[in-house]
Amino acid sequence: MKYAVKTQGLTKRYKTALAVDDVNLAIPEGVCCGFLGKNGAGKTTTLKMLVGLKRPTNGSISIMGQEQSFGTQVQMPFGYLPDVPSFYGYMTGAEFLDLCGKLCHMPTPQRKARVKELLKQVGLDRTRTRINGYSRGMKQRLGIAQAMINSPPVIFMDEPVSALDPIGRRDVVDIIQSFKNTTVIFSTHILADVENLCDYILIIEKGKILAHDYMANLKERHSQGSAKIRFYTPQDAATFKSHTAQHFTADNQANPLELLLHSTSGNMQELSHHVTALLQTHSLAMEYFGAHTPHLEDIFYEVIGK
């Protein structure tokens, strides 16, 4: 397997705090990776080390097979959108992207064509106002365009949707979904966007990576021995829960007719057997019983121990 980003022992220590603690990553090429964590968990510090804006205390970084070293002037194989992108407000979007192309040493014909292509892709091709007249969402879309100017194989984004209204969020998500043959790594705390958009997940807490895997693998791993049961009446659900034995536990759900069951052995066949026996013993009628596939929110809270 080829990896877009690899780190070994990546660490950032300040005088009074350990912000990032011995992070080892191997993010496959071509994935859309959601980087999750609470505020202050270490997401932004990690991203800034990956893109060369913070010097690591220890550790190594490789992007698309190229070793990265803080402060060296090499052609970086990535694009970057900071959490609050800054622009020259007196420029138009086209002028700003043209400047970015020049900084990447793009030949004039290629640069002009790329600017036109990107403005259309992010929905700014008909905008003639200067950047200081842009809305927050328009600036975010322009920021994504600048990160893509030289068609990098990897794009890092720090909280690309956190400050946007629902329409702006939808626009940015649509743009990210349109990327082809590009590895996208973005930090966020909006779990619903990640679940809809990403196929690979990183979860960080107190500077440590607690989970990193494909979304499908995480869901399969965290669904083992879990099932959902639904009754016809809240009374039957309460009676069932009150008689659960040592073989499984039952958690209340938002719907008072439903319970989420967790087998202590992790064996679904065994859980089904115990549920059937309990229903028969207490003459309870259920409407539905089936394996539970957890949402990303369930996995996130389980991983960080909340």
Side-chain angles (χ1 to χ4, degrees):
M1 180 181 292
K2 294 183 178 180
Y3 296 102
V5 177
K6 294 188 74 173
T7 69
Q8 286 289 330
L10 189 63
T11 301
K12 182 61 179 179
R13 184 185 298 276
Y14 297 101
K15 289 183 179 180
T16 58
L18 185 60
V20 176
D21 186 5
D22 193 30
V23 166
N24 299 306
L25 295 178
I27 302 174
E29 284 187 29
V31 299
C32 183
C33 174
F35 191 15
L36 304 175
K38 298 183 296 184
N39 290 335
K43 302 188 300 295
T44 294
T45 300
T46 301
L47 287 180
K48 286 188 174 180
M49 287 192 291
L50 292 176
V51 302
L53 294 178
K54 280 188 183 292
R55 183 192 298 273
T57 304
N58 290 302
S60 63
I61 299 168
S62 172
I63 299 178
M64 297 303 294
Q66 297 185 29
E67 292 293 326
Q68 306 296 310
S69 181
F70 181 84
T72 57
Q73 305 235 347
V74 296
Q75 187 68 29
M76 299 295 187
F78 59 81
Y80 174 57
L81 173 69
D83 54 345
V84 182
S86 297
F87 307 95
Y88 297 109
Y90 60 86
M91 288 183 168
T92 65
E95 289 170 343
F96 180 77
L97 291 181
D98 188 67
L99 172 63
C100 294
K102 289 178 180 177
L103 294 174
C104 292
H105 308 292
M106 297 174 66
T108 299
Q110 177 188 351
R111 188 175 72 245
K112 297 296 184 183
R114 184 63 173 156
V115 167
K116 185 176 180 180
E117 175 188 1
L118 285 174
L119 287 174
K120 184 175 182 179
Q121 184 172 351
V122 300
L124 296 174
D125 51 320
R126 297 185 179 182
T127 302
R128 299 293 179 262
T129 59
R130 301 194 180 277
I131 298 172
N132 57 16
Y134 279 20
S135 67
R136 181 71 169 86
M138 292 168 70
K139 289 180 178 178
Q140 202 74 339
R141 284 184 274 152
L142 182 62
I144 293 173
Q146 67 79 26
M148 299 165 59
I149 188 67
N150 61 338
S151 304
V154 183
I155 296 178
F156 297 96
M157 300 180 180
D158 193 1
E159 302 280 3
V161 296
S162 62
L164 302 180
D165 60 28
I167 294 176
R169 276 178 55 199
R170 183 71 261 171
D171 288 344
V172 170
V173 168
D174 287 343
I175 292 169
I176 296 174
Q177 285 179 322
S178 72
F179 293 165
K180 304 296 182 184
N181 303 316
T182 304
T183 304
V184 180
I185 301 165
F186 72 94
S187 67
T188 185
H189 53 263
I190 302 176
L191 300 180
D193 288 341
V194 174
E195 186 148 26
N196 292 331
L197 192 57
C198 297
D199 48 9
Y200 198 89
I201 304 296
L202 301 175
I203 299 177
I204 189 170
E205 170 71 355
K206 296 180 180 178
K208 283 188 170 293
I209 299 293
L210 301 185
H212 56 102
D213 204 344
Y214 285 96
M215 175 89 78
N217 293 342
L218 286 174
K219 287 192 172 186
E220 181 179 358
R221 189 155 59 246
H222 286 265
S223 68
Q224 291 181 356
S226 296
K228 183 167 284 189
I229 188 168
R230 183 166 60 247
F231 294 89
Y232 289 99
T233 69
Q235 292 77 16
D236 282 355
T239 299
F240 180 89
K241 183 180 180 183
S242 68
H243 289 92
T244 54
Q246 71 271 22
H247 302 293
F248 64 92
T249 60
D251 296 331
N252 290 323
Q253 300 295 285
N255 184 342
L257 301 177
E258 294 181 346
L259 295 169
L260 184 60
L261 311 180
H262 304 282
S263 169
T264 54
S265 67
N267 187 305
M268 271 298 297
Q269 185 175 356
E270 187 176 307
L271 175 62
S272 179
H273 172 76
H274 291 304
V275 167
T276 301
L278 191 58
L279 290 170
Q280 291 175 343
T281 300
H282 298 281
S283 300
L284 299 173
M286 59 143 186
E287 180 185 358
Y288 168 83
F289 173 74
H292 172 64
T293 300
H295 294 294
L296 180 58
E297 183 176 3
D298 303 322
I299 296 171
F300 178 76
Y301 285 123
E302 185 175 339
V303 167
I304 67 172
K306 297 292 182 181

